[in-house]
Amino acid sequence: MASNTENNAQLPRLLPRPHGSIAYHVTGDGPCVVLIPSLGRGAEDFDTLAADLVPKGYLVLRPEPRGIAGSTPLLDSDTLHDMAADIAAILDETGLGPAIVMGHAAGNWVARVLAHDRPDLIRAVALLAAIVGDPPPDDIRASITASFDMSLSEETRLGHLERVYFAKGSDARLWLEGWFPDVAKAQRRAAAMTSDTSWKQIFADQAALYLGALDDVISPPPDPDDLKKRIGPQAELRVIANAGHALLPEQPQAVARALDDWMSTLPPA
């Protein structure tokens, strides 16, 4: 494996895969933290979080979803297992596992599938503003879709962003950009193509964190007991105030503190 200094000097890197390539970014040195972005969004969503975690002694790995920044688009036949396999391939190639894997919002699907398919690569799992229970109602889902519908006016899209992604008083304009509609559609298709559900239960011996947003209307923070039933007996719940489903751009310092605090309690890799 190349040294971390070499990794940092060669960003972004490309890993050849059976279908195309996967782009990924590596920064820092220390225990590996993998960050998986939300539906139709890229690794840049984690720029601030990565900048906060690196000085705390972590190596941050940010794969680019297929269809973004050099990563080859998903095939029509791909499932969540294929998306997770891409990240597993990066960890195998770099030797950076076992890693702490974090999935934001829809990114939690991939994080959980990876934990199920390749537990040997997983040190712990964190789910940020993730849906672990019932899916959102149709009207909320419609606003999610409208948020990245570039045929709509900016004012209309902003209204949908404010409704479903941000807490009252937060600046939803932070997410007017950064959307990849074709990627979002492909990721939804991959999720629909994933017929099995065994990945939804994280293994009993894996440490897990649910970092929720208090004002999240898409995935309100779950009851702690229900969370343990759905995710695993070691699942821990923490909630960030004054944040909605977007979470990261709203409360970046609070998110970094909560994650660092939780990771500091994990046993050594």
Side-chain angles (χ1 to χ4, degrees):
M1 182 187 77
S3 71
N4 294 336
T5 300
E6 291 171 331
N7 282 340
N8 293 338
Q10 297 173 6
L11 293 177
R13 306 183 79 188
L14 284 177
L15 177 67
R17 295 286 288 140
H19 168 55
S21 300
I22 296 297
Y24 63 98
H25 313 263
V26 182
T27 51
D29 194 13
C32 180
V33 179
V34 181
L35 303 178
I36 307 172
S38 182
L39 183 76
R41 298 190 64 85
E44 68 175 353
D45 274 0
F46 292 114
D47 284 354
T48 301
L49 179 58
D52 285 338
L53 292 180
V54 167
K56 298 179 185 299
Y58 298 100
L59 183 149
V60 179
L61 171 62
R62 293 178 295 152
E64 289 285 4
R66 283 189 175 266
I68 300 177
S71 289
T72 305
L74 288 166
L75 296 172
D76 289 349
S77 59
D78 280 342
T79 69
L80 294 177
H81 295 282
D82 297 294
M83 296 169 67
D86 285 334
I87 298 176
I90 297 173
L91 290 171
D92 284 333
E93 173 69 18
T94 59
L96 292 175
I100 303 166
V101 180
M102 302 183 179
H104 175 221
N108 95 92
W109 303 335
V110 183
R112 291 157 78 183
V113 171
L114 179 59
H116 176 271
D117 292 353
R118 291 294 305 275
D120 58 304
L121 295 176
I122 304 301
R123 182 180 170 201
V125 179
L127 310 179
L128 283 59
I131 297 175
V132 296
D134 296 331
D138 290 344
D139 61 327
I140 296 295
R141 187 176 172 87
S143 281
I144 295 173
T145 300
S147 297
F148 54 81
D149 183 349
M150 299 304 169
S151 69
L152 300 176
S153 69
E154 183 175 291
E155 181 180 1
T156 298
R157 289 182 55 236
L158 183 61
H160 289 291
L161 286 167
E162 290 174 339
R163 180 189 182 204
V164 297
Y165 281 109
F166 288 82
K168 185 177 181 180
S170 295
D171 184 7
R173 292 185 179 274
L174 294 170
W175 262 25
L176 274 171
E177 305 297 331
W179 292 98
F180 296 81
D182 290 343
V183 172
K185 292 175 183 177
Q187 290 171 341
R188 278 179 165 175
R189 183 182 64 237
M193 292 281 289
T194 308
S195 57
D196 63 301
T197 60
S198 56
W199 55 270
K200 292 185 176 182
Q201 178 75 30
I202 292 176
F203 293 169
D205 59 350
Q206 288 175 337
L209 170 71
Y210 186 102
L211 187 61
L214 187 62
D215 301 310
D216 193 340
V217 299
I218 295 176
S219 52
D223 174 83
D225 291 335
D226 186 53
L227 178 67
K228 291 180 183 296
K229 292 177 182 178
R230 292 182 181 274
I231 299 300
Q234 296 194 53
E236 181 180 343
L237 174 67
R238 301 190 184 194
V239 180
I240 303 294
N242 301 315
H245 198 65
L247 183 59
L248 296 170
E250 294 180 282
Q251 298 292 340
Q253 284 74 39
V255 170
R257 285 194 302 268
L259 293 174
D260 179 46
D261 181 63
W262 170 68
M263 290 189 290
S264 70
T265 68
L266 298 174

